[in-house]
């Protein structure tokens, strides 16, 4: 049964990534999965607040340094990620990003770049989480890296739309991810398979250079290198606050929804 579900997920991901949806709505649904049942509805509570309020506090960066989704909220988070609200929230963020950049009067000097995170920003790992759970259990790097090596993650549809619009505006794309250097080839292949056909730079984390560094330190340093090379960061998109905090964050940053995990 599980193998059948995974095969179905990968088939749907392939259809979405190659743009074969029968309509705008069909292409917009990352995974038409059955929602999770049982506890975890909007009315479920953890430490005296509803899971919906917990998610809001997480997205607003009021609850920080948390390690896992509270067990009481795992089904709620699963339903949110697999339901329409997650897609609508992603659409709202990317729409604002486009409205912002469209209004800019940017020099046509080839120095304008937009920085995108990869996981849960450009690519979606929902097939992995649908199989392995939505965060109440500790993160398992072994199983997640095995999933990454399949190179099967589809694009987040609304981020991909923004990506295409930015290219049409002449803005260069930089992908900046916390994935390690040894995943460069599979990440590049996955991005292309998902429809991100071109980019100016794909930056992965050199764990020797950034040993022990947080995501904020690492990404700030790499964005700083871009600026030293003369690039103008007009926008920065990420699903984690650590993607958009720190230094050299760009002219404006956009936080995509992700209540499944927290990276400092």
């Amino acid at each position: 049964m599980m193998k059948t579900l995974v095969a179905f997920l990968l088939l749907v991901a392939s259809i979405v990534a190659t743009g074969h949806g029968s309509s705008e709505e069909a292409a917009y649904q990352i995974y038409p999965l059955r929602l999770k049942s049982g506890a975890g509805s909007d009315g479920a509570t953890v430490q005296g607040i509803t899971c919906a309020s917990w998610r809001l506090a997480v997205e607003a960066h009021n609850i920080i340094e948390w390690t896992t989704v509270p067990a009481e909220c795992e089904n709620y988070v699963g339903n949110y990620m697999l339901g329409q609200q997650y897609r609508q929230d992603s659409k709202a963020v990317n729409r604002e990003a486009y409205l912002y950049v469209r209004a800019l009067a940017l020099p046509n000097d080839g120095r304008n770049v937009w920085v995108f995170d990869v996981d849960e920003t450009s690519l979606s790992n929902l097939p992995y989480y649908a199989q392995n759970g939505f965060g109440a259990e500790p993160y398992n790097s072994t199983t997640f890296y095995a999933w990454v090596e399949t190179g099967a993650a589809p694009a987040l549809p609304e981020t991909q739309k923004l990506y295409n619009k930015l290219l049409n505006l002449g803005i260069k794309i930089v992908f900046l991810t916390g994935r390690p250097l040894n995943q460069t080839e599979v990440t590049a292949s996955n991005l292309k398979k998902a429809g991100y056909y071109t980019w100016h730079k794909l930056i992965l984390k050199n764990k020797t250079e950034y040993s022990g560094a947080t995501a904020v330190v690492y990404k700030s340093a790499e964005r700083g290198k871009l600026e030293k090379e003369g690039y103008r960061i007009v926008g920065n998109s990420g699903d984690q606050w650590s993607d958009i905090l720190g230094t050299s964050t760009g002219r404006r940053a956009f936080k995509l929804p992700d209540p499944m995990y927290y990276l400092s």
Side-chain angles (χ1 to χ4, degrees):
M1 180 67 179
M2 184 59 71
K3 290 182 179 178
T4 302
L5 173 60
V6 172
F8 172 71
L9 287 169
L10 296 179
L11 174 62
V12 172
S14 175
I15 292 172
V16 172
T18 53
H20 292 166
S22 59
S23 66
E24 179 73 12
E25 180 62 21
Y28 188 52
Q29 292 187 9
I30 305 176
Y31 310 105
L33 297 180
R34 182 180 302 171
L35 299 184
K36 296 173 70 66
S37 61
S41 67
D42 287 5
T45 62
V46 54
Q47 296 180 342
I49 63 172
T50 66
C51 291
S53 295
W54 177 85
R55 179 176 66 83
L56 174 63
V58 162
E59 297 292 6
H61 209 221
N62 291 318
I63 296 178
I64 63 173
E65 303 297 342
W66 52 280
T67 54
T68 59
V69 173
E72 300 92 330
C73 297
E74 183 178 13
N75 279 353
Y76 167 79
V77 169
N79 282 337
Y80 169 74
M81 296 300 298
L82 297 175
Q84 282 299 313
Q85 192 60 54
Y86 170 60
R87 264 68 97 194
Q88 293 296 333
D89 291 348
S90 177
K91 182 177 182 178
V93 174
N94 282 294
R95 177 180 180 274
E96 288 304 310
Y98 176 62
L99 292 176
Y100 149 73
V101 73
R102 188 181 65 178
L104 298 178
L106 296 172
N108 187 21
D109 57 6
R111 292 294 179 177
N112 301 311
V113 300
W114 194 286
V115 177
F116 284 102
D117 174 52
V118 173
D119 294 300
E120 274 58 71
T121 298
S122 304
L123 297 177
S124 172
N125 296 301
L126 274 180
Y128 169 83
Y129 291 107
Q131 180 181 0
N132 291 278
F134 286 88
E137 294 296 323
Y139 170 72
N140 187 315
S141 60
T142 301
T143 57
F144 183 74
Y145 282 3
W147 154 253
V148 168
E149 289 297 328
T150 68
L156 271 77
E158 294 302 323
T159 299
Q160 190 175 54
K161 292 175 188 175
L162 175 62
Y163 160 89
N164 287 325
K165 290 174 180 177
L166 293 173
L167 288 177
N168 288 336
L169 291 172
I171 296 174
K172 291 180 166 63
I173 304 300
V174 173
F175 290 110
L176 173 57
T177 173
R179 291 184 178 191
L181 280 175
N182 63 3
Q183 292 180 345
T184 299
E185 185 176 346
V186 71
T187 301
S189 174
N190 196 161
L191 285 167
K192 290 182 178 179
K193 186 189 302 183
Y196 299 102
Y197 300 111
T198 185
W199 53 81
H200 186 60
K201 288 179 181 285
L202 171 59
I203 304 169
L204 287 87
K205 189 175 184 179
N206 183 328
K207 290 195 171 182
T208 300
E209 181 180 0
Y210 294 106
S211 177
T214 64
V216 170
V217 170
Y218 156 62
K219 293 201 168 185
S220 293
E222 290 298 325
R223 290 192 302 263
K225 291 178 183 179
L226 290 171
E227 291 183 332
K228 288 178 181 178
E229 292 172 9
Y231 293 105
R232 185 182 305 106
I233 302 175
V234 297
N236 179 16
S237 295
D239 66 293
Q240 297 290 312
W241 280 94
S242 54
D243 297 327
I244 60 177
L245 293 177
T247 58
S248 302
T249 54
R251 187 163 175 173
R252 186 170 170 186
F254 295 87
K255 167 70 169 66
L256 286 157
D258 182 4
M260 296 188 295
Y261 53 85
Y262 179 91
L263 298 176
S264 60

